[in-house]
Amino acid sequence: MTTSTKPEDTANTYRRIDKIFGNGQAFVALKSDGTLVSWGNELFSAIEQNQDIRNEDFVTIHSNEYAFVGRRSDGTLIAWGDERYGGKLPAEYDYSSNPIKGVVANEKAFAAWRQDGSVMVWGDKLHGGSLA
């Protein structure tokens, strides 16, 4: 087992777990304090690889076969995992005035709907990651 936690934190890492989410490569657990802990293949699970991730205030996680997306209480999203399959949000992603209400995933892509009812997609184009 490969873990994305630091060894000195292991004793308390797997406590206060509310939900566990998985994909074909790894698991991510949502803790009661809104933080995340992950284990499995670090390419697909390691939250720390993305320096932009503030590991707090998560309300739910979504996953496909190769990536994870975390949604925070303010409607913002964070994605990690294989960038080809949704592990990176589109560059034009802007939620400042239009928060995300929900997310769904298939094997290699994600779709999200915003507060105004609009949809954004990302991931593999052949699996719905493009509206074009």
Side-chain angles (χ1 to χ4, degrees), residues 121 125-126 128-132:
V121 298
K125 291 179 181 181
L126 295 176
S130 172
L131 295 173

Side-chain angles (χ1 to χ4, degrees), residues 8-123:
E8 63 270 15
D9 295 338
T10 303
N12 292 314
T13 298
Y14 302 103
R15 296 176 191 247
R16 300 182 327 272
I17 302 296
D18 280 349
K19 296 179 184 174
I20 297 177
F21 306 86
N23 65 20
Q25 308 292 324
F27 292 97
V28 174
L30 176 61
K31 297 175 76 170
S32 59
D33 64 0
T35 62
L36 307 175
V37 60
S38 62
W39 64 95
N41 184 327
E42 287 189 1
L43 174 63
F44 302 98
S45 69
I47 299 160
E48 293 84 3
Q49 286 181 0
N50 184 336
Q51 297 301 313
D52 295 333
I53 292 180
R54 189 181 77 248
N55 190 4
E56 60 187 31
D57 202 27
F58 287 95
V59 293
T60 192
I61 304 297
H62 304 275
S63 63
N64 66 20
E65 189 68 18
Y66 303 97
F68 290 95
V69 174
R71 186 168 58 90
R72 293 196 176 109
S73 62
D74 64 359
T76 59
L77 298 179
I78 299 294
W80 67 96
D82 192 320
E83 293 182 5
R84 298 171 296 172
Y85 304 119
K88 182 177 182 181
L89 293 168
E92 66 276 4
Y93 173 57
D94 177 24
Y95 49 75
S96 57
S97 62
N98 198 3
I100 299 297
K101 287 182 68 176
V103 177
V104 294
N106 65 23
E107 183 182 6
K108 296 181 180 177
F110 293 94
W113 62 96
R114 298 177 181 178
Q115 193 168 26
D116 70 358
S118 63
V119 174
M120 65 177 268
V121 298
W122 68 101

